[in-house]
Amino acid sequence: MKKGSYIIENTQQIAKNTYRTRLKGDTSAIVAPGQFVNIALAGSFLRRPLSVCDWDEKGLWVIYKTVGKGTSALSKLEPGQKLDLLTGLGNGFDMELAGSRPMLIGGGVGVPPLYGLAKRLMKQGVRPLAILGFNTAEEVFYEKEFAELGCDVVVATVDGSYGQKGFVTDAMPQEGTTFFYACGPEPMLKAVYNRTNTSGQLSFEERMGCGFGACMGCACRTKYGAKRICKDGPVLMKEEVVW
Amino acid sequence: MKKGSYIIENTQQIAKNTYRTRLKGDTSAIVAPGQFVNIALAGSFLRRPLSVCDWDEKGLWVIYKTVGKGTSALSKLEPGQKLDLLTGLGNGFDMELAGSRPMLIGGGVGVPPLYGLAKRLMKQGVRPLAILGFNTAEEVFYEKEFAELGCDVVVATVDGSYGQKGFVTDAMPQEGTTFFYACGPEPMLKAVYNRTNTSGQLSFEERMGCGFGACMGCACRTKYGAKRICKDGPVLMKEEVVW
Amino acid sequence: MVDTSVKLCDIQLKNPVIPASGTFGFGHEFAHWYDLNVLGAICLKGTTKDPRFGNETPRIAEAPAGMLNAVGLQNPGIEAVLETELPALRKLYSGPVIANISGFSKEEYVFCCEKADQSPHVDIIEVNISCPNVQSGGMSFGASAKDAGEITKAVRAVCKKPIFMKLTPNVTDIAEIARACEANGADGISLINTLLAMRIDIKNRKPVLANTTGGLSGPAVFPVALRMVWQVYKAVKLPIIGMGGVSCPEDVVEMMLAGATAVQVGASNLQNPFACPEIIDGLPPLLERLGVSRIAELIGAAHY
Amino acid sequence: MVDTSVKLCDIQLKNPVIPASGTFGFGHEFAHWYDLNVLGAICLKGTTKDPRFGNETPRIAEAPAGMLNAVGLQNPGIEAVLETELPALRKLYSGPVIANISGFSKEEYVFCCEKADQSPHVDIIEVNISCPNVQSGGMSFGASAKDAGEITKAVRAVCKKPIFMKLTPNVTDIAEIARACEANGADGISLINTLLAMRIDIKNRKPVLANTTGGLSGPAVFPVALRMVWQVYKAVKLPIIGMGGVSCPEDVVEMMLAGATAVQVGASNLQNPFACPEIIDGLPPLLERLGVSRIAELIGAAHY
Ligand SMILES: Cc1cc2nc3c(=O)[nH]c(=O)nc-3n(C[C@H](O)[C@H](O)[C@H](O)COP(=O)(O)OP(=O)(O)OC[C@H]3O[C@@H](n4cnc5c(N)ncnc54)[C@H](O)[C@@H]3O)c2cc1C
Ligand SMILES: Cc1cc2nc3c(=O)[nH]c(=O)nc-3n(C[C@H](O)[C@H](O)[C@H](O)COP(=O)(O)OP(=O)(O)OC[C@H]3O[C@@H](n4cnc5c(N)ncnc54)[C@H](O)[C@@H]3O)c2cc1C
Ligand SMILES: Cc1cc2nc3c(=O)[nH]c(=O)nc-3n(C[C@H](O)[C@H](O)[C@H](O)COP(=O)(O)O)c2cc1C
Ligand SMILES: Cc1cc2nc3c(=O)[nH]c(=O)nc-3n(C[C@H](O)[C@H](O)[C@H](O)COP(=O)(O)O)c2cc1C
Ligand code: FES
Ligand code: FES
């Protein structure tokens, strides 16, 4: 975990109400895909947690939906503006569990951290199957980016306006995969949990006070006792999840 | 009174902890020197009242001392940034009372509104005597500017490090002036009040809630009943002042 | 088209947004900024029997996301308000008017409320019981259910118009105070007044306010106000005028979901003279986004 | 050189800055960010007899210049705190430790305080009486002078170490509560805990917090906290640990001028993990600007 100043390099709208921002600065604290940053924004007391979509030595990318005050403000900041971030938060995904054919299951803005994961899996010579679910065509993003990494990609939309019609669970193969990594809204995670035969990891969201384990704001029950989503998570093993 | 968006054109430090900022925008609500603006600043709930030092059709100048959070923040804003202002607040000085030889008495950041007054008096063919008081040499500003208008200028510093040694009252002539306009800290105003033989106007400060007469935050007792510094002032006639 | 009207004790407001007492004078200053008739209603400056200068200055201090005031009920007295200020306001504004009455004794409340009740220009009487009870030790009337109930009963006896008791938040149990008002004949509850607060000037080591303490208001107090509106909605059957930190259309909706029938806007008027009309203009698009066609359906809708 | 040390009941703090209970865990997380030994003292997470999961989530909501929390005293229980957490903290930190004790019955307070008193690692016991008294109706112990006095007396009887009673601000008369604590043997007063507050999600029309209400803290509450510290300083002769919204060196000075001997920093630690060391580093230059050579001379200096 590190605290530092980051510079907005650019922001693009990549789908309906969905933006990608590149932040330049020290990424040495980021050690695994699925970790997140916590961003201080003028006018808001609490920081905003966002998954790291991808990172290199010079900076990182976040992809976010403008759902409220903070994310809207972030999407409107000009290149060159500085932001205070906590980076390297959370455990992230464990790539060693992937096996030969992991399945990545993302819903909406749960997709971004899976991109960083896919990229690094590919680098390790593992070719994942990515199943990306959205509500509707205009919310779809990153299909091409996943494909360009060399992944197999299936897109599903709830209203059938793009890709396969239905939920991500409708698009999931019943066999042939070795492990799964899932990130998305809780109902999706629960459905994925119920419909997967392999072991897997699920990334959760919770309202956070600190993001680094101090306040107990983000507690969650697991089979091995209470955990903090921000510090012991956001990624939990399928086997420990309690619904 | 008007509310509008203004753009910072530039800011210069003109003396110790003292800055001048040019704000571009609509000045049509400003009708008299001695009026003030009320500036909204990010991070502060209340606006900050500052006298208009001078104005033209395209914008206005304020001169201020960085005494706290708001004024410090203002001094650090970059050119191009936008500020929300209420303009044309307060009554301002009544130039018709000047007579042929008015005396302008300013202390510290009470000097700025007298500059706008001096400029307009000169335009009317009236040549004022300006007495500008400061604590010490490094706080002195606008001597040259007053002189360039064609005024007579006397500068006094409390520690004698520049100009005449002493308070503005020590530098005031006992005769030869027709009226006085004074702006500065309250002890100065009181001393001026006690040492002047002519009629005059004094500009007061008070902590303000609104700046436009709504909240009764800035009440002051006068011989003619309670007045609001922001709306019925900030300029009061010598004859109505109650200490 | 979204219907933003609400009914407050049979009085129809075209929208639920009302400038709060003490932040709107008697309306004249704001008529410079906009047409007062856009407002749901207007609440007048707190009025006492006799004219008052109020506290010494400084009366204002700043706070994170808010401000402190210790104006001390500066007002020209009930006679001048009813005979001068209100007729003048009526030339600019034809909507509902809420008179805000303060006092330092039961007799003073009764005197002023009776006068206000008789005025053709007053529609609702808001009784501010946050003033200290000088007859019994200086605790605010609103700090005890007994005092609050007594004042309510006394003013009820002399008023035919709707009476809203305005409560102070500086109490252990706001619901108990509200119930005492209801039991004694109040028609509605207004809340909250300001939170007792203080600032000290660290340079001269003195309280910033001449009065030492003052009342905190503005966005900082919104979550406390919302909680109290919620509690009072659960405790009594009366309509509630919610206030405390409201500064945007979202806040109005949140207050109404907690149980407010109408909402007052205080400190935000001082920060932005256009606060009320901007909030009012923002309501229809917000309601549309939320899929709400009648704003009145929001009242108390978050209760389960 | 400025002397920033203060004495809290004979315990020497190198500076008056203490992370507040519940915002610093048991210290380990912050040891990642900085050397804990820079702190004046450390106040531990609120501890109960048995381990508690606390409230359901969401437990956190945002507020203007502040936040709401409804953590609900998640903690591993007094045994684990004294036997596991504290020895672990001692490997990282050698300064004064304040244990923060909570309970839902008098017996629970007594049990935990007695244990804490016996621990070699605890220097001061802070007794948080903001929890609801489940034995008598659910009002917080700190909401009545009688309950507050009774708890004080009971824990006093089993403790030799200094006891600081931590008061809730959700009361009509904070001075009365503080006096009851003093009369029953408290060595000091800590205040304030959080202001009872609420937020509603306007999209789904439900309270944001699973617990419905939560506690407001952060800069928004600073002027209320300051006022209460001021009032308690006037009411009792005990040392005060002031808290509520402290976020910068200026706030520390203001709190001390109001009467605090030391100051706790809560929500600001969450927003900025370096809040405490930054405040501590900022004190000497600020004191120099103010012409203060010993910070202790500020304590209560704004009282007249
Ligand atoms: C570990 C983690 C990773 C996340 N990664 C992403 C991401 O990559 N892309 C993305 O679009 N979103 C992500 N989210 C959700 C994101 O944090 C929220 O959408 C965001 O905080 C909303 O802020 P706001 O000011 O726009 O909304 P508001 O509703 O105005 O926020 C009010 C408060 O609620 C909190 N809040 C609201 N929604 C959420 C939420 N879903 N989760 C946690 N806190 C919330 C805010 O942080 C803030 O404190 C992530 C959340 C967590 C916990
Ligand atoms: C009508 C009028 C005209 C003024 N003109 C000038 C000017 O031309 N140049 C200049 O340097 N100063 C002027 N002042 C004073 C100026 O308003 C304050 O210095 C400024 O508000 C301080 O803000 P701050 O945030 O830096 O200080 P802080 O102390 O952090 O401010 C805290 C609060 O106190 C208020 N406050 C502090 N000092 C004063 C004060 N002296 N008067 C009124 N409010 C105060 C602030 O507005 C704010 O609400 C004027 C004041 C008034 C009332
Ligand atoms: C400057 C000022 C003066 C006030 N005067 C009165 C008053 O005379 N009577 C009253 O009942 N409330 C008065 N109030 C309280 C407000 O009406 C309102 O209850 C409180 O400020 C909370 O709302 P806000 O947070 O929107 O300001 C005053 C508030 C302010 C800021
Ligand atoms: C997340 C969180 C958890 C808290 N837990 C406790 C607690 O366990 N015991 C306690 O006495 N106070 C607790 N508090 C209250 C703080 O110690 C402090 O009294 C209050 O937050 C005011 O300070 P602040 O405004 O600096 O946060 C908690 C506060 C927060 C924000
Ligand atoms: S958000 Fe504070 S512990 Fe997780
Ligand atoms: S500042 Fe509000 S009336 Fe003058």
Side-chain angles (χ1 to χ4, degrees):
Chain A
M1 301 188 294
K2 278 199 179 172
K3 180 173 180 290
S5 180
Y6 292 72
I7 295 174
I8 296 197
E9 195 167 324
N10 55 57
T11 296
Q12 296 107 23
Q13 183 164 0
I14 58 169
K16 189 180 175 200
N17 300 331
T18 309
Y19 295 80
R20 181 182 57 206
T21 295
R22 162 84 171 164
L23 290 159
K24 277 204 315 196
D26 178 8
T27 53
S28 61
I30 307 175
V31 297
Q35 287 190 303
F36 65 98
V37 295
N38 215 357
I39 307 183
L41 292 164
S44 292
F45 184 74
L46 295 173
R47 291 170 184 265
R48 297 297 186 266
L50 291 179
S51 299
V52 174
C53 169
D54 194 11
W55 75 99
D56 56 25
E57 301 88 67
K58 294 204 179 131
L60 58 93
W61 288 265
V62 287
I63 292 181
Y64 50 95
K65 208 164 160 175
T66 50
V67 296
K69 195 175 95 167
T71 46
S72 304
L74 178 57
S75 72
K76 287 178 194 137
L77 292 177
E78 306 274 317
Q81 289 202 257
K82 283 185 188 154
L83 286 174
D84 180 78
L85 263 72
L86 306 182
T87 60
L89 305 182
N91 54 0
F93 295 111
D94 185 346
M95 297 208 296
E96 298 193 352
L97 305 172
S100 59
R101 179 62 166 171
M103 174 161 63
L104 315 186
I105 311 155
V109 284
V111 166
L114 299 177
Y115 176 77
L117 173 62
K119 190 168 171 184
R120 282 159 188 81
L121 288 169
M122 288 298 297
K123 263 198 202 132
Q124 294 192 355
V126 175
R127 183 150 151 245
L129 163 63
I131 306 196
L132 314 181
F134 301 92
N135 288 313
T136 183
E138 54 187 353
E139 294 183 1
V140 174
F141 63 88
Y142 262 45
E143 180 186 19
K144 190 166 66 80
E145 284 78 356
F146 275 86
E148 280 170 3
L149 291 176
C151 299
D152 298 304
V153 194
V154 180
V155 172
T157 55
V158 179
D159 65 1
S161 54
Y162 189 90
Q164 261 186 252
K165 183 178 160 75
F167 297 100
V168 284
T169 40
D170 300 320
M172 275 164 40
Q174 279 311 298
E175 343 201 293
T177 59
T178 51
F179 194 78
F180 75 88
Y181 298 96
C183 185
E186 200 163 306
M188 182 202 97
L189 294 180
K190 196 165 180 180
V192 167
Y193 175 97
N194 287 325
R195 297 278 201 87
T196 42
N197 307 319
T198 67
S199 178
Q201 288 194 314
L202 302 91
S203 179
F204 288 83
E205 282 187 2
E206 193 45 80
R207 299 218 172 201
M208 292 186 174
C210 64
F212 52 86
C215 74
M216 303 294 150
C218 63
C220 113
R221 290 192 173 84
T222 75
K223 295 206 176 114
Y224 313 119
K227 289 200 169 182
R228 294 159 298 183
I229 293 291
C230 71
K231 178 91 183 174
D232 312 312
V235 176
L236 298 183
M237 289 298 297
K238 180 186 178 187
E239 289 69 25
E240 60 182 327
V241 173
V242 177
W243 294 102
Chain B
M1 301 188 294
K2 279 199 178 172
K3 178 172 180 290
S5 180
Y6 292 72
I7 295 175
I8 297 197
E9 195 167 323
N10 56 57
T11 296
Q12 295 108 24
Q13 183 166 358
I14 58 168
K16 189 180 176 200
N17 298 331
T18 310
Y19 295 81
R20 180 182 56 205
T21 295
R22 162 83 172 165
L23 290 159
K24 277 205 313 196
D26 178 9
T27 53
S28 61
I30 306 174
V31 298
Q35 288 190 303
F36 66 98
V37 296
N38 215 357
I39 307 184
L41 293 164
S44 293
F45 184 74
L46 295 173
R47 291 170 183 266
R48 297 296 187 267
L50 291 179
S51 299
V52 175
C53 169
D54 193 12
W55 74 97
D56 56 25
E57 300 88 67
K58 294 205 179 127
L60 58 92
W61 289 264
V62 288
I63 292 181
Y64 51 94
K65 207 164 161 175
T66 51
V67 297
K69 196 175 95 167
T71 47
S72 304
L74 178 58
S75 72
K76 288 178 193 134
L77 292 177
E78 305 274 317
Q81 289 201 258
K82 283 184 187 154
L83 286 174
D84 180 78
L85 264 72
L86 307 182
T87 59
L89 305 182
N91 54 359
F93 294 110
D94 186 346
M95 297 207 294
E96 298 194 353
L97 304 172
S100 58
R101 179 63 166 170
M103 175 161 63
L104 315 186
I105 311 154
V109 284
V111 166
L114 300 177
Y115 176 77
L117 173 63
K119 190 169 170 182
R120 281 159 188 81
L121 287 170
M122 289 298 296
K123 263 199 202 131
Q124 294 191 357
V126 175
R127 184 150 151 246
L129 163 64
I131 306 197
L132 315 180
F134 302 92
N135 288 313
T136 183
E138 53 187 352
E139 294 183 1
V140 174
F141 63 88
Y142 263 45
E143 181 187 19
K144 190 168 66 81
E145 284 78 356
F146 274 86
E148 280 171 3
L149 291 176
C151 299
D152 298 305
V153 194
V154 179
V155 171
T157 56
V158 179
D159 65 1
S161 54
Y162 188 90
Q164 260 186 252
K165 182 176 162 75
F167 296 100
V168 283
T169 40
D170 300 321
M172 274 163 40
Q174 280 309 299
E175 343 201 293
T177 58
T178 50
F179 193 79
F180 75 88
Y181 299 97
C183 184
E186 201 164 305
M188 182 203 95
L189 294 180
K190 198 166 178 180
V192 167
Y193 176 95
N194 287 325
R195 298 278 200 88
T196 41
N197 308 319
T198 66
S199 178
Q201 288 194 314
L202 302 92
S203 179
F204 287 84
E205 282 186 1
E206 192 44 80
R207 299 217 171 203
M208 292 186 174
C210 64
F212 52 86
C215 74
M216 303 294 149
C218 63
C220 114
R221 290 192 173 86
T222 75
K223 294 207 177 115
Y224 313 117
K227 290 200 169 183
R228 295 159 298 183
I229 293 290
C230 72
K231 179 90 182 173
D232 313 311
V235 176
L236 298 183
M237 288 298 297
K238 180 186 177 187
E239 289 69 25
E240 62 182 327
V241 173
V242 177
W243 295 102
Chain C
M1 268 299 297
V2 179
D3 176 4
T4 59
S5 71
V6 295
K7 243 182 169 170
L8 209 51
C9 300
D10 288 333
I11 295 156
Q12 183 85 11
L13 314 191
K14 64 173 75 157
N15 63 64
V17 179
I18 309 169
S21 180
T23 63
F24 210 71
F26 297 96
H28 316 346
E29 287 75 20
F30 284 86
H32 169 86
W33 300 104
Y34 58 85
D35 177 1
L36 301 181
N37 290 298
V38 304
L39 298 167
I42 286 179
C43 188
L44 306 179
K45 172 69 193 163
T47 304
T48 52
K49 184 162 181 274
D50 299 314
R52 280 175 62 87
F53 175 72
N55 292 322
E56 295 308 310
T57 55
R59 296 175 173 185
I60 303 286
E62 204 179 43
M67 61 177 282
L68 277 64
N69 91 82
V71 168
L73 291 169
Q74 176 170 359
N75 79 92
I78 185 79
E79 296 281 346
V81 169
L82 298 181
E83 274 149 44
T84 312
E85 301 289 353
L86 256 178
L89 174 61
R90 275 301 176 212
K91 296 202 176 124
L92 304 165
Y93 170 72
S94 59
V97 165
I98 305 177
N100 179 285
I101 302 297
S102 283
F104 297 84
S105 69
K106 200 203 288 184
E107 293 66 40
E108 187 174 358
Y109 278 108
V110 169
F111 180 89
C112 296
C113 288
E114 190 167 10
K115 292 262 182 218
D117 196 60
Q118 287 155 9
S119 164
H121 301 310
V122 172
D123 299 283
I124 291 177
I125 300 167
E126 185 175 75
V127 186
N128 171 19
I129 51 173
S130 309
C131 322
N133 178 349
V134 287
Q135 285 160 340
S136 77
M139 261 282 189
S140 127
F141 284 101
S144 101
K146 189 170 149 288
D147 283 356
E150 271 177 28
I151 299 290
T152 310
K153 192 175 210 160
V155 299
R156 172 76 294 163
V158 297
C159 291
K160 289 186 201 66
K161 290 181 181 158
I163 295 173
F164 276 67
M165 300 304 291
K166 180 161 173 185
L167 309 189
T168 165
N170 304 301
V171 297
T172 309
D173 185 356
I174 193 84
E176 183 200 6
I177 315 276
R179 278 190 296 261
C181 296
E182 180 178 48
N184 285 281
D187 299 294
I189 304 287
S190 290
L191 78 168
I192 60 175
N193 213 309
T194 54
L195 284 163
L196 193 61
M198 185 172 171
R199 293 305 304 267
I200 293 172
D201 183 327
I202 64 170
K203 282 177 205 150
N204 72 15
R205 302 191 180 185
K206 282 192 194 135
V208 171
L209 299 172
N211 189 50
T212 304
T213 57
L216 175 66
S217 71
V221 309
F222 181 79
V224 175
L226 192 84
R227 179 264 294 183
M228 290 191 165
V229 167
W230 174 273
Q231 290 179 318
V232 168
Y233 184 86
K234 284 222 185 298
V236 301
K237 300 218 153 34
L238 307 177
I240 295 168
I241 303 179
M243 74 195 87
V246 172
S247 71
C248 59
E250 286 79 4
D251 293 345
V252 173
V253 169
E254 208 172 323
M255 273 284 179
M256 293 183 75
L257 289 170
T261 295
V263 165
Q264 287 182 10
V265 176
S268 294
N269 291 310
L270 310 183
Q271 205 279 329
N272 172 11
F274 294 103
C276 283
E278 285 174 8
I279 292 171
I280 292 167
D281 287 348
L283 281 174
L286 172 62
L287 295 171
E288 260 165 44
R289 275 203 304 285
L290 296 171
V292 175
S293 57
R294 283 182 52 246
I295 201 169
E297 80 183 44
L298 295 174
I299 303 165
H303 286 262
Y304 39 85
Chain D
M1 267 300 296
V2 179
D3 176 4
T4 59
S5 71
V6 293
K7 243 184 170 169
L8 210 52
C9 300
D10 288 333
I11 296 155
Q12 184 85 10
L13 313 192
K14 65 172 75 156
N15 63 64
V17 180
I18 309 169
S21 179
T23 63
F24 209 72
F26 297 96
H28 317 346
E29 286 75 19
F30 284 86
H32 169 85
W33 300 105
Y34 57 86
D35 178 1
L36 302 181
N37 290 300
V38 303
L39 298 167
I42 286 179
C43 187
L44 306 179
K45 172 68 194 163
T47 304
T48 52
K49 183 162 182 273
D50 299 315
R52 281 175 61 87
F53 175 71
N55 293 322
E56 295 309 311
T57 55
R59 297 175 173 185
I60 302 286
E62 204 180 43
M67 62 177 282
L68 276 66
N69 90 82
V71 168
L73 291 169
Q74 176 170 0
N75 79 93
I78 185 80
E79 296 281 346
V81 168
L82 298 180
E83 274 148 45
T84 313
E85 301 289 352
L86 257 178
L89 174 60
R90 275 302 177 210
K91 294 199 180 128
L92 304 164
Y93 170 72
S94 58
V97 165
I98 305 177
N100 179 284
I101 302 297
S102 283
F104 297 85
S105 68
K106 200 201 288 183
E107 293 65 41
E108 187 174 359
Y109 278 109
V110 168
F111 180 89
C112 296
C113 288
E114 189 166 11
K115 291 263 184 217
D117 195 62
Q118 287 156 9
S119 164
H121 301 310
V122 172
D123 299 283
I124 291 177
I125 299 167
E126 185 175 77
V127 186
N128 171 19
I129 50 173
S130 309
C131 322
N133 179 349
V134 287
Q135 286 161 339
S136 77
M139 260 283 189
S140 126
F141 283 101
S144 100
K146 187 170 150 288
D147 283 356
E150 271 177 27
I151 300 291
T152 309
K153 191 176 212 161
V155 298
R156 171 77 294 163
V158 298
C159 291
K160 290 186 201 66
K161 289 181 181 158
I163 296 172
F164 275 68
M165 300 304 290
K166 180 163 174 184
L167 309 189
T168 165
N170 303 300
V171 297
T172 309
D173 185 356
I174 194 83
E176 182 200 6
I177 316 276
R179 278 190 295 261
C181 295
E182 180 178 49
N184 285 283
D187 299 295
I189 304 288
S190 289
L191 80 166
I192 60 174
N193 213 308
T194 54
L195 284 163
L196 192 62
M198 184 171 172
R199 293 305 304 263
I200 293 171
D201 183 327
I202 65 170
K203 281 177 205 149
N204 71 15
R205 302 191 180 187
K206 282 192 195 135
V208 171
L209 300 172
N211 190 50
T212 304
T213 57
L216 175 66
S217 72
V221 310
F222 181 79
V224 175
L226 192 84
R227 180 265 295 183
M228 290 191 164
V229 168
W230 174 273
Q231 290 178 319
V232 168
Y233 184 84
K234 284 222 185 296
V236 301
K237 299 216 153 34
L238 307 177
I240 296 169
I241 303 179
M243 75 196 84
V246 172
S247 70
C248 59
E250 287 79 4
D251 293 345
V252 173
V253 170
E254 207 172 322
M255 273 285 180
M256 292 183 74
L257 288 170
T261 295
V263 165
Q264 287 182 10
V265 176
S268 294
N269 290 311
L270 309 183
Q271 204 279 328
N272 172 12
F274 294 103
C276 284
E278 285 176 8
I279 292 171
I280 291 167
D281 287 348
L283 280 174
L286 172 62
L287 295 171
E288 262 166 43
R289 274 203 306 284
L290 295 171
V292 175
S293 56
R294 282 182 53 247
I295 201 169
E297 79 183 45
L298 295 174
I299 302 165
H303 285 262
Y304 40 85

